[in-house]
């Protein structure tokens, strides 16, 4: 079917009162960015909908990209015809013929924005219902919960027909919530936490700690590859890599073993908070899930969180591992996350980290290292890059692993 436009319905944002303008502008900008590969498109943002005029572009390809834009509740591929009932009838039949495999019952639902049109909504519903029943004998009319609803809209500039409503990504447009930093490891949880944060409108930047030569170039590449995987939801994502070797060595040399992990995490959080401040972020996100490992007990989180009053938001805090994995599979980060490259937190991991670190001891042991000096040195070594969805950092390794499977 040669559709002429995609009609996009907003999600929650339509209830946001005076912020509505900002939401619609963001959604419009984000949609433009997501669809920049289709130069012929014209996009119009209206009060309650976005109209994407296809001008010959492939509707399936456009809809595949639209499905990644947060803030879109659902969308319908639509055909515009002249204000002529014969044209409407022909298009309605062609459209429903393509839909017959979706089910056997249908109804026609007409709306008129133009009340001067020669027929009213009941007349149009009845007229189209009759000719569809005649043309497609497999179909029967059902008013309550039909398999197919043919939507007809009479407007001043034409009549619009659609018969499919496709679920969008939901959530809120990226950017409407402000900026946040994600502590991104190479694991399963933090990319999922990042996806969920973006879904609530956060303009996310990645902060990744690495410790060469203890961690390989590949561990860093993996974190970048994960960033590229979720970049389609934002257009592109800033990736901030932080050297952590010296801090880990100092902690290893000076701090009692049971507190290595807690103090490492405090240093990570302090540095992330500093970067957040420099980048005008409002909060820090991580992939912690309560009780999953030693650092993720409430006592441990309290001891780590002690270094800042910045909100630390944990989108997967109450999820079971299986629930997190399900999302990781849906957003296609799982296979990457399970690639076996050492993370900087595992290399100096003590055999028995404290699951209930004592706050006073934590603070005292931390005095054994030069917190300020180490932080400054690490921050001076930061590298920042912008990662786009089409970038790859681990192609070779992924191909090799695919061959092994
Ligand atoms: P993940 O699957 O996200 O790695 P995890 O269950 O393996 O999580 P940890 O490795 O203990 O848990 O890490 C807890 C959180 O700390 C991560 O979700 C992430 O937000 C942050 N984190 C861990 N390692 C790094 C790192 N190298 N750089 C930045 N943040 C990190
Ligand atoms: Mg991890």
């Amino acid at each position: 079917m040669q559709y002429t436009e995609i009609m996009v319905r907003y999600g929650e944002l339509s209830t946001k009162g005076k912020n509505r303008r900002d939401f619609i502008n963001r959604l419009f900008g984000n949609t433009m960015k997501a669809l920049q590969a289709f130069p012929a498109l014209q996009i119009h943002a209206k009060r309650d909908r976005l109209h994407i005029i296809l001008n010959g572009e492939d509707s399936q390809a456009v809809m595949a990209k639209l499905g990644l834009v947060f803030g879109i509740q659902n969308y319908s591929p639509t055909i515009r015809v002249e204000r002529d009932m014969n044209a409407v009838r022909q298009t309605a039949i062609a459209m429903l013929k393509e839909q017959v495999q979706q089910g056997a019952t249908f109804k026609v639902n007409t709306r008129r924005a133009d009340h001067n049109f020669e027929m009213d909504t009941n007349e149009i519903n009845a007229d189209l219902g009759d000719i569809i029943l005649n043309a497609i004998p497999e179909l029967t009319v059902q008013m309550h919960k039909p398999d197919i609803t043919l939507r007809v809209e009479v407007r001043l500039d034409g009549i619009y027909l659609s018969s499919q409503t496709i679920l969008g990504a939901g959530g809120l447009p990226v950017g409407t919530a402000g900026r946040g930093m994600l502590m991104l490891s190479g694991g399963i949880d933090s990319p999922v936490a990042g996806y969920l944060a973006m879904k609530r409108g956060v303009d996310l930047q990645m902060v990744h700690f690495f410790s060469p030569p203890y961690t390989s170039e590949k561990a860093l590449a993996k974190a970048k590859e994960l960033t590229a995987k979720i970049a389609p939801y934002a257009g592109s994502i800033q990736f901030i890599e932080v050297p952590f070797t010296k801090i880990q060595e100092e902690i290893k040399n000076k701090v009692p073993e049971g507190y290595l992990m807690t103090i490492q995490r405090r240093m990570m959080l302090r540095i992330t908070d500093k970067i957040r401040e420099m980048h005008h972020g409002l909060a820090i996100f991580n992939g912690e899930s309560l009780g999953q490992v030693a650092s993720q007990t409430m006592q441990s989180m309290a001891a780590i969180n002690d270094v800042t009053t910045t909100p630390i938001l944990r989108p997967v805090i109450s999820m079971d591992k299986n629930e997190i994995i399900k999302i990781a599979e849906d957003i296609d980060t799982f296979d990457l996350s399970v690639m076996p490259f050492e993370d900087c937190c595992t290399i100096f991991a003590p055999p028995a980290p404290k699951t209930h670190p004592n706050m006073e001891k934590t603070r005292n042991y931390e005095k054994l290292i030069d917190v300020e000096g180490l932080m400054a040195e690490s921050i001076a070594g930061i590298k920042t890059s912008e990662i786009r969805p089409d970038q790859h950092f681990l192609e070779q390794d992924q191909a090799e692993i695919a061959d092994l499977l």
Side-chain angles (χ1 to χ4, degrees), residues 250-268:
E250 277 291 290
I251 295 174
K252 168 92 179 153
N253 290 335
K254 305 209 166 129
V255 170
E257 198 172 74
Y259 282 80
L260 288 184
M261 188 270 300
T262 310
I263 293 180
Q264 271 182 35
R265 301 278 173 164
R266 283 165 65 98
M267 288 302 282
M268 276 191 179

Side-chain angles (χ1 to χ4, degrees), residues 3 7 11 19 34 86 113 121 151 215 235 242 254 267 279 286 288 290 329 357 360 395:
Y3 293 101
M7 198 186 295
N19 291 334
N86 276 329
T121 53
R151 291 179 201 284
T215 60
V242 191
K254 305 209 166 129
M267 288 302 282
H279 289 238
N286 69 26
E288 287 174 336
L290 190 59
E329 284 171 342
E360 278 316 300
E395 244 162 4

